Amino acid sequence: MALVAAVTCSSCVVRTEVRPDSGSQSGGLVPEDLPPGVRYVGPGAEATTYLRGDVGRIVVEVDQAEGAEVSAEALDHFQTVLGSVADKPVEIETSTISAGGSAFSAEDLRGLENEHRDTVTDGDTASMYVLSLNGTLSDRQGIIGVAYGGSSFALFLEQNRGLDSAAVERAVLVHEAGHLLALVNVGYESPRDREDPDHANHSSNADSVMHWAVESVSILDALGGGPPDDFDDDDRADLADIASGAIVPEF
Ligand SMILES: [Zn+2]
């Protein structure tokens, strides 16, 4: 049975289905010292599935706790942006789940996903899973979004205090999906010099949705004028390279 280990970057927490000891942390999404034969299943691991032409459509399953519903406006924006970079139709299915509690560990997120997720990647369809919960990540308060698996991310929208909620929803949905699509430099090295040296796997461009502050309450300090809610040209160039096979993320 695979064990799990937590990997913490400056603003993300993910769990990968990895190794018995979780000694070192790379500062990025991918552990630096995966032992031979252990498969990485964290954010980015399914990027090629979403981006290449092997599947014809993406279904995004959004399971939301009562009171943590994502706005229709934000979901529309997300559908448009994801569809444009994946170059395929995106369908969004929302449902309400029972998810009590106010602090969730990455293990809790996996448990809720196991209990409630109805869609899987199969045949012509790639599945992406979104959990929207009340409360907070237990070990990283102030995080609005977290990518915790190869095809899964979670939102804690009530951690946003003060900014326009629909704007934050739009930004965080696209940001976390960006991590699932391997941004930035998750398993590859971009030919464009654009990774924030201080925040692994994030863009140095404050106008990119992949800027680190997008998923944190520090958004309030760092992003006056509202968060970016779309990929920038460099993000899109990386995604196009992954789609074409010019870049192949490796884990
Ligand atoms: Zn991030």
Side-chain angles (χ1 to χ4, degrees), residues 11-12 175-176 179 202 210 215:
S11 52
C12 313
H175 180 103
E176 300 309 332
H179 285 319
H202 290 90
M210 296 313 298
E215 66 198 346

Side-chain angles (χ1 to χ4, degrees), residues 99-167:
S102 58
F104 299 86
S105 65
E107 200 163 340
D108 295 332
L109 301 180
R110 285 191 174 286
L112 287 167
E113 178 177 348
N114 287 338
E115 189 178 343
H116 295 289
R117 183 170 184 168
D118 298 317
T119 61
V120 293
T121 294
D122 188 35
D124 194 43
T125 302
S127 160
M128 186 177 287
Y129 185 70
V130 183
L131 263 177
S132 184
L133 301 171
N134 298 301
T136 180
L137 204 58
S138 57
D139 52 354
R140 297 278 299 178
Q141 296 202 2
I143 296 297
I144 304 171
V146 59
Y148 65 91
S151 65
S152 325
F153 64 88
L155 306 175
F156 299 96
L157 298 174
E158 73 179 23
Q159 293 301 307
N160 165 40
R161 297 187 180 91
L163 278 190
D164 175 62
S165 58

Side-chain angles (χ1 to χ4, degrees), residues 1 23 33 68 124 220:
M1 188 176 71
D33 56 349
D124 194 43
L220 294 169

